[in-house]
Amino acid sequence: MKKKVLITAGILSTLLLAGCSNQNTSSRNHDSKKSSVVSTKKNSNQSSQSKKNTEEMDNAQSSSSSSANKSQSSSSVKQTNNKSEKETKNTAKSNNSDNKMNFDQIEQGNYSSLAGTWKSTKIVVRDGGEDKVNTENPITLAVTSDTIQMMGGDKVVVNKDGLNYNDDLHPLNFQKTQNSLTGALDGDAPINWSVSFYPAGSTDFTINGEKQAPSSKNLIVFWRSGMSTTMVFEKE
């Protein structure tokens, strides 16, 4: 009987020890699993933070690059606008220079500012006290740097020596105002002549004493005595 009790006690003791061992093992496994979860969360947080930092750096670089490109683009546009504005001013200046009558040069026999072909727009003849306008038979002026020659009408040539009409040469005396320049024959001549130069907008232009409306174009005007003929030319 005593022996059975001892055997029973030994079995219970063994079971108790086994239970404690399993409990310790379970506890260790639980602690290990808990530690693994904490480690995983920590790694996940670190990975998320690293990703966030990378994105912020990329955004900063992108913003910096965009700002640089925008600044460069703005600078390029500004340079282009400045260049365009400068070219426009130079073109306007060139056009003004080309269209301007240079009175000082003309007096010296230099007609570079007038060079080209000029066509008569009207020929006014004083007949019986009335002005008759002829626009049906236009004549032209061929102007070079040193000669103004009438084509298709009277044989008239103007150069630095004066005005030559039918091989009769007379020097020209010039009178200049702010808006016109007129050269008249110096000395007696069977037929008197004058040549006048009126820049666009001039208010000095008259025909037989009557003031004319300002023209939007430069004018060269020849006048001849006899029937008081006025020939008005515009550049083609």
Side-chain angles (χ1 to χ4, degrees):
M1 182 69 178
K2 186 177 183 179
K3 186 174 181 179
K4 287 182 179 182
V5 171
L6 290 174
I7 291 172
T8 301
I11 291 172
L12 292 174
S13 177
T14 300
L15 291 174
L16 182 60
L17 290 174
C20 289
S21 177
N22 288 338
Q23 185 176 3
N24 291 335
T25 300
S26 175
S27 178
R28 283 196 300 270
N29 289 339
H30 178 72
D31 291 342
S32 175
K33 186 176 181 180
K34 183 177 180 180
S35 176
S36 176
V37 170
V38 171
S39 176
T40 300
K41 287 184 178 180
K42 184 176 182 181
N43 291 336
S44 177
N45 290 337
Q46 290 177 346
S47 176
S48 177
Q49 183 65 33
S50 176
K51 183 177 181 180
K52 183 177 180 181
N53 292 340
T54 301
E55 289 178 350
E56 288 178 350
M57 290 179 63
D58 289 342
N59 290 337
Q61 291 178 351
S62 176
S63 176
S64 176
S65 176
S66 176
S67 177
N69 290 336
K70 185 180 293 185
S71 176
Q72 184 176 3
S73 176
S74 176
S75 176
S76 177
V77 170
K78 186 176 181 180
Q79 290 177 356
T80 301
N81 289 339
N82 289 340
K83 183 178 179 181
S84 177
E85 183 179 354
K86 186 176 181 180
E87 290 176 349
T88 301
K89 288 181 178 179
N90 289 337
T91 300
K93 184 177 180 181
S94 176
N95 288 339
N96 289 337
S97 177
D98 290 343
N99 292 332
K100 184 177 180 180
M101 288 181 162
N102 191 318
F103 287 166
D104 292 335
Q105 289 182 353
I106 293 171
E107 284 190 75
Q108 301 302 317
N110 180 349
Y111 311 116
S112 298
S113 62
L114 310 174
T117 301
W118 297 65
K119 186 176 181 178
S120 65
T121 57
K122 62 182 176 180
I123 299 173
V124 181
V125 179
R126 174 61 63 92
D127 185 9
E130 294 182 3
D131 289 339
K132 295 183 178 180
V133 180
N134 177 11
T135 59
E136 297 179 357
N137 301 302
I139 56 179
T140 59
L141 298 177
V143 183
T144 65
S145 60
D146 58 4
T147 301
I148 300 175
Q149 184 172 358
M150 193 175 294
M151 312 292 291
D154 293 309
K155 187 180 178 182
V156 178
V157 177
V158 178
N159 56 33
K160 63 182 180 60
D161 297 322
L163 186 147
N164 190 323
Y165 171 59
N166 289 336
D167 298 324
D168 184 15
L169 177 65
H170 290 268
L172 289 171
N173 283 331
F174 284 97
Q175 290 186 344
K176 180 168 57 177
T177 69
Q178 185 176 357
N179 295 312
S180 65
L181 174 68
T182 298
L185 297 189
D186 183 14
D188 294 331
I191 297 179
N192 199 11
W193 283 85
S194 71
V195 55
S196 300
F197 306 89
Y198 299 99
S202 173
T203 57
D204 291 348
F205 180 32
T206 62
I207 295 180
N208 293 326
E210 294 184 9
K211 186 175 287 293
Q212 305 296 304
S215 173
S216 61
K217 296 183 178 181
N218 295 335
L219 302 177
I220 297 178
V221 179
F222 281 85
W223 174 83
R224 182 185 65 189
S225 65
M227 294 182 69
S228 189
T229 302
T230 303
M231 293 159 274
V232 183
F233 297 86
E234 291 180 357
K235 192 173 183 179
E236 290 187 329

